[in-house]
Amino acid sequence: MAERSTAAVDVADSDGEESLTAEAGKATADGAGTQQKAGKETEAAGNRDKGAAADVNPPELHSGHKLARRYRLEECVTRLDGFSSWRAVDEKLRRAVGVHVLPADHARARPVLAAARSAALLGDPRFVQVLDAVEENDLVYVVHEWLPDATELTTVLASGPLEPHDAYQLVSQVSQAMAAAHREGLAHLRLNPGSVLRTESGQYRIRGLAVLAALRGISSEHPQRTDTESIGALLYAALTQRWPYDQDAHGLSGLPKGVGLIAPDQVRAGVHRGLSELAMRALVNDGATASRQDQPCTTPEELSKAVAAMPRIRPPEPAFTPSPAYQRTNYQQGYGQPPAHGGSSRTIGPAAAPMPPPAPLQSRTGKALKWTVSALLIAALGLGSWQLADTLLKEENKPDPGTTSQKDDDKPGQVASKPISIQDAAEFAPDGSPQHSDEAALTHDGEASTAWHTKSFIDGPQLAPYKKGVGIVYDLGSEQTLKGASIGLHYGGSYTEASLYATDSLTPSASGSDYVSSFKKLASSGRVTSKTADLKVKSSAKTRYVLVWLTALPYSPPEEYSTRPFKQAITEVKFTG
């Protein structure tokens, strides 16, 4: 959800020991010549690092803050261990960027700067590029690309496992990219579904090379082996939609406890056998797999070569849509073909003999019959014309509807609904985390092009349990009898759920665990898939203040400034009484 840390969950490996990616320190690669710490010394260093990070006061940053008079912070996506990560805007080049920010006296500030500058020198397009790494005004910040057309693998896998060809492309591209990084002495150590992006063209991009590990103080004695195991876990998740350990992580269910690490083709039917064995060779990289005596893959280079040695997996054939059934015209019935461009017709088979035309009514009886039918038609036309004229005259003689007695619509209990004007609006954020409080007035300004936007969320459509809901309180000016509301929505998508509550003020105080339990519920929309939610108040209710409360937001494709998929925006709200 919004504001939730994207930090990966450290999981246990198949032997029940701590994963190598859980150790603390600095991201390096095998043979890179940097100092390594092992065993208890590495663990103690990580604990000291975390303690130092906890002692550092994180910088007071907020939406709208500018770095270097250029990078305007928009939305905080991670806040952890004294550093924060933001979606921002490069006002100089007018593009979205991502920014990691931490105090200059943070214990990890120097390793982060070093990792960012090393990653920037790689220049491999398969990685999300580091654009800037600066120490300024007691702050250290790293600026990187923001890809609005890319989707996290976490979101991709939420809809199901990948097809064999897509999974093949994933392991092939990621292993080749990491092999190139390790040749330059760079390791990732934080490879997971949240750090791998898929673009609209089907290419995979890796973000956070070396930087994410430095931000969290992670190192490994065998970084190549750690990254290889992580790639194997990615392939396992792509094939099965499960995380290959006994703990849930990255939005995926883990394996049942006690069963150990089992091959993907034993978890889910129809998994490609070659890819299943490849995932096991990368995961169980301290020995041969149980199914075959192939050597384990302990480096991204070895894994990349193993992928290249596999028979190529072709993409699925596009679905064939048959054309509409061929309809013959009258002259095409049978085997004969019509003449083309004035040419003569060729008969493929014997043509059916044409039916003789009906005999004309030339006899005396036939002539009498024709005259009788004509007379009847003339009489019918005359009678119809007379009835039409009589009806028109009666309509003209009717009294004007405005002077008649009370109609059914004017009877008590059937008075037409009238619009209720909105005097003021304020966002309702009892958890202290508002969405965009400055946009509340845009929902009743009469302009459908303006809107109040929620933040974007990773999971959905239901906001619970991470957030009870989001909404706006409206002031109707005086106590009104409310009959219904029409809520204009910017996104359709999967579904939206909205409710109406009567409150005691424009800024009500919430009580109870679900914030709105103390308010009187007036109406609920159910699941709305269109861009308008119409709510009807069944019982007569009088109130001055009305809360529009959203508890489910639809899925919509990522946008330039909103890469998470679940979000909504209210364009116009109208009340009737």
Side-chain angles (χ1 to χ4, degrees), residues 279-290:
M280 296 299 289
R281 291 177 63 186
L283 281 169
V284 192
N285 54 26
D286 57 347
T289 63

Side-chain angles (χ1 to χ4, degrees), residues 357-363 366 370:
L361 299 176
Q362 297 296 336
S363 63
K370 286 193 293 182

Side-chain angles (χ1 to χ4, degrees), residues 5-75:
S5 171
T6 56
V9 179
D10 290 330
V11 294
D13 60 17
S14 59
D15 296 327
E17 299 175 352
E18 242 187 343
S19 173
L20 293 174
T21 58
E23 300 175 2
K26 188 170 62 177
T28 57
D30 287 339
T34 56
Q35 185 177 1
Q36 297 287 338
K37 295 185 180 181
K40 295 182 179 179
E41 293 181 1
T42 303
E43 183 178 356
N47 292 334
R48 289 195 302 270
D49 209 1
K50 289 182 179 179
D55 294 338
V56 174
N57 292 323
E60 293 295 333
L61 302 176
H62 54 81
S63 297
H65 186 94
K66 285 187 181 180
L67 299 173
R69 299 181 181 179
R70 174 176 180 177
Y71 304 112
R72 186 180 75 247
L73 304 183
E74 291 289 321
E75 181 184 6

Side-chain angles (χ1 to χ4, degrees), residues 460-464 489 491-499 521 523-535 549-554 566 568:
Q462 292 293 332
L463 290 174
L489 304 172
Y491 301 102
S494 46
Y495 67 87
T496 303
E497 287 184 352
S499 300
K521 190 172 185 177
S524 180
S525 67
R527 296 188 173 185
V528 177
T529 57
S530 63
K531 293 186 178 181
T532 303
D534 293 319
L535 295 86
W549 190 239
L550 305 182
T551 54
L553 310 181
F566 294 94
Q568 187 55 278

Side-chain angles (χ1 to χ4, degrees), residues 327-409:
Q327 301 292 335
R328 296 172 184 263
T329 56
N330 290 337
Y331 60 81
Q332 289 174 313
Q333 301 296 334
Y335 294 101
Q337 300 295 326
H341 304 289
S344 60
S345 140
R346 290 191 305 165
T347 301
I348 299 177
M355 295 181 64
L361 299 176
Q362 297 296 336
S363 63
R364 181 178 298 177
T365 304
K367 290 181 180 181
L369 181 60
K370 286 193 293 182
W371 282 107
T372 303
V373 172
S374 300
L376 290 173
L377 288 174
I378 293 172
L381 290 172
L383 179 61
S385 301
W386 176 80
Q387 289 178 338
L388 178 61
D390 184 61
T391 302
L392 293 175
L393 288 174
K394 287 180 180 180
E395 290 293 331
E396 288 181 358
N397 293 330
K398 282 186 178 181
D400 186 73
T403 61
T404 58
S405 60
Q406 189 182 42
K407 295 292 188 265
D408 291 340
D409 292 340

Side-chain angles (χ1 to χ4, degrees), residues 3 427-437 452-453 455 467 470:
E3 306 274 342
E427 183 175 329
F428 180 62
D431 60 352
S433 177
Q435 305 299 293
H436 291 91
S437 55
W452 168 80
H453 297 77
K455 293 182 179 179
K467 201 172 184 69
V470 295

Side-chain angles (χ1 to χ4, degrees), residues 187-441:
H188 196 292
L189 307 184
R190 292 283 299 171
L191 275 174
N192 56 58
S195 59
V196 177
L197 310 175
R198 186 170 75 173
T199 65
E200 291 180 345
S201 62
Q203 301 299 311
Y204 292 91
R205 304 275 305 268
I206 303 171
R207 65 182 174 189
L209 177 67
V211 175
L212 289 181
L215 281 169
R216 290 168 174 82
I218 294 174
S219 73
S220 171
E221 292 183 358
H222 305 287
Q224 294 206 39
R225 184 164 164 177
T226 299
D227 282 345
T228 306
E229 181 182 348
S230 298
I231 300 172
L234 290 174
L235 178 57
Y236 195 106
L239 295 172
T240 63
Q241 203 184 10
R242 277 182 174 271
W243 194 238
Y245 304 99
D246 59 0
Q247 296 180 16
D248 298 348
H250 315 296
L252 301 170
S253 300
L255 298 178
K257 295 185 182 296
V259 302
L261 181 61
I262 55 178
D265 56 2
Q266 297 177 17
V267 175
R268 176 176 166 267
V271 171
H272 189 277
R273 179 68 181 277
L275 292 175
S276 175
E277 294 175 351
L278 193 65
M280 296 299 289
R281 291 177 63 186
L283 281 169
V284 192
N285 54 26
D286 57 347
T289 63
S291 57
R292 293 177 56 184
Q293 294 303 313
D294 290 333
Q295 290 297 317
C297 298
T298 58
T299 68
E301 185 76 35
E302 293 177 1
L303 182 58
S304 174
K305 291 179 180 179
V307 174
M310 287 180 57
R312 186 173 180 272
I313 300 176
R314 297 184 178 276
E317 294 291 335
F320 173 73
T321 304
S323 59
Y326 177 67
Q327 301 292 335
R328 296 172 184 263
T329 56
N330 290 337
Y331 60 81
Q332 289 174 313
Q333 301 296 334
Y335 294 101
Q337 300 295 326
H341 304 289
S344 60
S345 140
R346 290 191 305 165
T347 301
I348 299 177
M355 295 181 64
L361 299 176
Q362 297 296 336
S363 63
R364 181 178 298 177
T365 304
K367 290 181 180 181
L369 181 60
K370 286 193 293 182
W371 282 107
T372 303
V373 172
S374 300
L376 290 173
L377 288 174
I378 293 172
L381 290 172
L383 179 61
S385 301
W386 176 80
Q387 289 178 338
L388 178 61
D390 184 61
T391 302
L392 293 175
L393 288 174
K394 287 180 180 180
E395 290 293 331
E396 288 181 358
N397 293 330
K398 282 186 178 181
D400 186 73
T403 61
T404 58
S405 60
Q406 189 182 42
K407 295 292 188 265
D408 291 340
D409 292 340
D410 298 328
K411 292 180 181 179
Q414 297 186 8
V415 179
S417 300
K418 61 178 182 180
I420 300 176
S421 60
I422 299 173
Q423 302 301 320
D424 200 359
E427 183 175 329
F428 180 62
D431 60 352
S433 177
Q435 305 299 293
H436 291 91
S437 55
D438 58 329
E439 297 178 349

